[in-house]
Amino acid sequence: MVSDDVLRTHLQELRRGTVVMASLVALRRPDYGYALLQRLTEHGFPVDANTLYPLLRRLEEQGLLTSEWNTEESRPRKFYRTSDEGKSVLRRLLDDLAAVQTSMTGLIEGADR
């Protein structure tokens, strides 16, 4: 029987790439980090804050997200939004995900190529 640690490791690897896509999808509508954490969790993508915030900074450095500070509220918040380049990358990632799903379905169902 496979240990819980082994399974947890593989599940973590599987979700790591999907969190990037989920963030790019979710941030087509501007939002701040904590609200994004909540939204991702609600949709089945639980992410630790110590993982999400560095991811947001990296995606911003890559030009896939833009950000701006909202100082109108009592506490300033940094809002993120998927950039045009981020939307383009997202389309490519979603296309590749669909291709992977098709390939996996073929393998599962035993279809020949």
Side-chain angles (χ1 to χ4, degrees):
M1 184 167 170
V2 175
S3 75
D4 288 344
D5 287 343
V6 169
L7 179 58
R8 189 175 11 262
T9 297
H10 287 293
L11 289 172
Q12 183 179 19
E13 288 176 17
L14 179 63
R15 289 191 171 267
R16 187 170 287 135
T18 59
V19 168
V20 170
M21 286 187 289
S23 297
L24 291 173
V25 167
L27 291 172
R28 291 178 298 178
R29 183 185 85 206
D31 221 340
Y32 60 98
Y34 183 72
L36 177 61
L37 273 173
Q38 291 178 315
R39 189 154 34 130
L40 291 175
T41 298
E42 289 168 6
H43 289 280
F45 293 94
V47 183
D48 186 79
N50 292 328
T51 299
L52 184 65
Y53 289 106
L55 172 68
L56 293 174
R57 285 191 295 276
R58 182 170 50 91
L59 293 176
E60 187 176 16
E61 288 171 7
Q62 293 171 347
L64 305 181
L65 295 178
T66 60
S67 69
E68 58 185 59
W69 285 96
N70 179 345
T71 57
E72 295 173 6
E73 299 177 24
S74 61
R75 184 171 160 222
R77 292 182 176 163
K78 190 174 188 178
F79 278 75
Y80 295 90
R81 175 192 302 261
T82 304
S83 67
D84 289 341
E85 188 173 341
K87 290 175 186 173
S88 177
V89 167
L90 175 60
R91 280 190 295 275
R92 299 276 309 271
L93 291 173
L94 291 173
D95 287 346
D96 194 61
L97 178 61
V100 168
Q101 287 174 315
T102 299
S103 296
M104 285 300 300
T105 299
L107 282 170
I108 292 166
E109 295 174 354
D112 290 332
R113 280 198 151 231

